[in-house]
Amino acid sequence: MHLPDGFLAPQLALALWVLTAVLVGISLRRLAAGEATHGATGRPILMGLVGAFIFAAQMFNFPVAAGTSGHLLGGVLAGYLLGPWAGTVVMTTVVGVQALLFQDGGLLALGANIFNMGILGTLGGSLTARALADAFGGRRGVGIAAAGVAGWLSVVTSAGVVTLQLGLSGTTDIAVGLPAMLGVHALIGIGEALITVAALTFIATTAPDILGAETDHQPSPLRRLVSGTSVVVVVIALAALFASTEPDGLNAVAAALGFSTREAEAPLNLFAGYAIPGLDGASSTIVAALIGASVIAGLLLGLTRLAKSRTLQK
Amino acid sequence: MNRVQPRSFDARAAVVATLMFIVTVALLPLGAYLAMLISWIAVAVAGALIGIPPMRLARRGGIALPFVVAALPIVFLRTDEIVWSGAIGPLDLSISGAGIRIALSAVLKAWVSVQASIVLVTYVDAPAIVTALRRLRLPEALATSAGLTIRYLELLRDEARRMIRARTSRSASPLGVGRERVGGSIGWRARTTGNLVGALFLRAYARAQRIEEAAVSRGATGSLSVGTLPSPDSRLTVKVLASLLLVTAIWLCGALLPRL
């Protein structure tokens, strides 16, 4: 799910960077406003540790059958434990650290990855969970079940959106990719939902005070109505999007945006078709390939020697 | 092993150069293999200068390659520039030249970009990268959160490893993975895993409280400085201009050299 660099059209990657920066900026502002009212000076330390916790929790693979296992993404979990805004900031740093230190996801594609996992997964996921919980009465048990549903939705939605992004970039075929990705992630999402529910239940039983008073409240009837309506609208919109029988329409959009078309021929034709002037056809290509291969081999030898000498100096 | 030790210094130039390089590689046109080769040589030279042999770098760059699965269907589904078509059993297959160009370009760009960021993290240690990003105006809350995440990452991963070992010894792993017993149903296994996640969170939470108490007792006021700021790089402008020159050259290669 971590998109590497090179698979997204640069225009799309940059646009998602901008969108992500705006949404993370909003989260940071909401977080700062909340901090001012609650006076929680220790908050940054908790956020840093929860970031490390999400990292570590992703190591817990969930054995489904021999050879197959899913693991936790933790977006909704982070959002539920810290609240949507702090959760979003934490997931943003987790995805960023994964890209910077572990090459898990590209740097130009980082905007897209934060959007897919931090914004859709955590912000979208925990707001969905909250709305669901409000709609069904807002008690803690309901809230945890809602977090499970939101966890499943977050995995499936991110997978769908990743496929759409790849499709718009012309790197994959939406008509083939979307059903495959949604099908696989509908299963992976079940693991996410079960683990999220189990983890929250464990925390709620062992240390109920940590989950805070905010997660156990009685919403006003108006809020229930608004939340319920918005959940229904979102679910219908998602269902319509993914059940759409016109994925070709999306492919057409991709073609119209021009990401997938090839640019004009290069103006400087130094070695036309990688051929050597004066030689004909196949033999010329073979000679060109041989020259190229030996240049690269020489380069590799030279650089290896250089690297060794550089390490010995230290 | 003669591993290169990451160093700590004002890493703004290195971070900016890496980002510029990766953006440039991503902007290369499809099929600009010569320009991709040149950008790979640039990374390999940079890697060799800090002591990573090019073959090792190339191998480690392979971690993004499984993603090629996402681009594979396009090779068979595009209907332009058909280079081969035929039937394998009941399947009517055709291979599109345009599809190959898209998939191969994506894979090569990913491979070169990953190597560039490997060179960065080998050259500069993680806290120095965070410090550099903080100086490049990354919001304070993000920088602090990232710095602390990196600092406590190994600690919590170690806890997780111990918990997984304990779980494996108590049979929550499927048959055949070093175990002879299958523990419970899928629901039971999910609950076990969830309990571990919950327990790990409680440990992280308790540790955060302990760190907060310690920080307050030492006079912390709420603003956190992770790592000390190294002395600023006096040749920053020169270095950034040099990398700008390099990426412009790569971009020109992509625009001017012949594409396949």
Side-chain angles (χ1 to χ4, degrees):
Chain A
M1 291 270 275
H2 292 71
L3 288 162
D5 284 320
F7 282 77
L8 285 185
Q11 300 93 316
L12 185 62
L14 291 174
L16 285 167
W17 253 117
V18 173
L19 185 61
T20 299
V22 169
L23 289 168
V24 171
I26 293 174
S27 303
L28 285 169
R29 190 160 291 188
R30 292 293 293 257
L31 185 64
E35 233 173 297
T37 50
H38 300 309
T41 46
R43 210 92 177 129
I45 295 178
L46 181 60
M47 280 167 56
L49 271 142
V50 171
F53 153 72
I54 293 289
F55 243 104
Q58 292 186 344
M59 289 169 61
F60 289 120
N61 59 334
F62 161 59
V64 178
T68 318
S69 64
H71 76 79
L72 188 75
L73 294 172
V76 174
L77 186 63
Y80 194 93
L81 291 170
L82 293 180
W85 310 112
T88 303
V89 173
V90 165
M91 272 317 263
T92 301
T93 49
V94 167
V95 177
V97 170
Q98 282 170 337
L100 265 177
L101 298 191
F102 299 93
Q103 289 80 48
D104 204 357
L107 292 179
L108 183 61
L110 182 56
N113 284 328
I114 293 177
F115 180 80
N116 298 338
M117 286 173 276
I119 307 287
L120 280 181
T122 306
L123 190 55
S126 47
L127 289 179
T128 310
R130 191 175 275 187
L132 267 175
D134 282 355
F136 286 97
R139 273 187 308 281
R140 178 164 289 164
V142 175
I144 290 177
V149 175
W152 182 83
L153 261 181
S154 75
V155 171
V156 175
T157 311
S158 313
V161 170
V162 165
T163 318
L164 294 188
Q165 287 162 355
L166 286 171
L168 283 177
S169 307
T171 319
T172 200
D173 190 276
I174 293 173
V176 172
L178 198 55
M181 282 287 275
L182 289 181
V184 170
H185 284 86
L187 286 177
I188 293 180
I190 294 176
E192 178 86 11
L194 290 175
I195 295 178
T196 304
V197 168
L200 287 176
T201 311
F202 183 86
I203 296 167
T205 357
T206 322
D209 47 316
I210 286 181
L211 287 182
E214 208 209 335
T215 53
D216 194 12
H217 65 287
Q218 289 294 325
S220 68
L222 179 67
R223 195 167 160 187
R224 283 183 68 165
L225 191 68
V226 172
S227 305
T229 317
S230 47
V231 167
V232 170
V233 169
V234 168
V235 166
I236 290 177
L238 279 178
L241 179 62
F242 290 139
S244 160
T245 47
E246 300 208 34
D248 293 340
L250 286 161
N251 278 337
V253 172
L257 287 175
F259 292 160
S260 52
T261 48
R262 193 188 175 195
E263 282 111 299
E265 224 15 82
L268 264 187
N269 231 348
L270 289 182
F271 326 88
Y274 299 96
I276 306 284
L279 287 170
D280 62 323
S283 58
S284 148
T285 311
I286 292 170
V287 173
L290 281 178
I291 294 176
S294 33
V295 168
I296 302 237
L299 195 74
L300 280 176
L301 270 175
L303 287 178
T304 309
R305 196 161 287 180
L306 177 66
K308 276 197 184 133
S309 70
R310 283 276 166 167
T311 341
L312 287 180
Q313 277 171 15
K314 281 180 190 160
Chain B
M1 205 164 91
N2 52 357
R3 271 195 66 105
V4 194
Q5 279 300 313
R7 299 188 299 157
S8 180
F9 55 92
D10 180 0
R12 279 177 296 173
V15 170
V16 170
T18 310
L19 290 177
M20 286 198 301
F21 178 83
I22 287 175
V23 172
T24 309
V25 170
L27 285 172
L28 288 177
L30 295 177
Y33 304 122
L34 275 178
M36 290 174 200
L37 177 71
I38 290 167
S39 54
W40 172 73
I41 291 175
V43 176
V45 169
L49 282 174
I50 63 165
I52 320 173
M55 288 313 283
R56 192 198 299 167
L57 189 61
R59 224 177 14 251
R60 288 182 54 194
I63 58 168
L65 295 192
F67 220 85
V68 70
V69 174
L72 219 51
I74 210 88
V75 173
F76 303 103
L77 291 168
R78 292 277 293 219
T79 48
D80 42 351
E81 297 177 44
I82 299 293
V83 291
W84 177 86
S85 69
I88 297 177
L91 279 174
D92 264 330
L93 273 184
S94 66
I95 292 179
S96 151
I100 293 181
R101 187 181 308 118
I102 291 171
L104 193 59
S105 298
V107 168
L108 288 176
K109 285 176 179 184
W111 181 67
V112 171
S113 304
V114 167
Q115 295 183 61
S117 69
I118 290 176
V119 169
L120 176 69
V121 295
T122 315
Y123 186 47
V124 190
D125 67 3
I129 293 180
V130 175
T131 309
L133 288 174
R134 183 196 298 261
R135 288 196 159 189
L136 292 168
R137 303 285 153 85
L138 183 76
E140 188 60 34
L142 278 179
T144 303
S145 176
L148 286 166
T149 296
I150 291 168
R151 193 187 287 176
Y152 291 103
L153 189 57
E154 251 335 291
L155 197 104
L156 286 185
R157 271 153 69 106
D158 205 42
E159 296 255 21
R161 252 175 241 125
R162 273 179 267 144
M163 292 166 115
I164 289 171
R165 195 180 312 132
R167 181 187 68 176
T168 314
S169 338
R170 282 157 195 80
S171 84
S173 65
L175 203 74
V177 190
R179 297 287 317 166
E180 51 287 339
R181 279 185 302 150
V182 176
S185 63
I186 285 187
W188 182 85
R189 274 179 257 157
R191 203 169 65 241
T192 310
T193 310
N195 289 346
L196 293 190
V197 172
L200 186 66
F201 171 75
L202 291 182
R203 290 187 194 181
Y205 190 88
R207 188 171 285 275
Q209 270 184 325
R210 246 164 56 208
I211 299 167
E212 275 157 23
E213 279 160 20
V216 170
S217 74
R218 278 188 241 110
T221 51
S223 104
L224 209 67
S225 77
V226 179
T228 45
L229 293 176
S231 57
D233 189 345
S234 54
R235 289 187 301 158
L236 184 69
T237 326
V238 182
K239 286 179 184 172
V240 170
L241 283 178
S243 9
L244 201 59
L245 214 61
L246 173 75
V247 296
T248 313
I250 291 175
W251 178 77
L252 280 176
C253 290
L256 298 180
L257 290 181
R259 301 192 277 271
L260 209 60

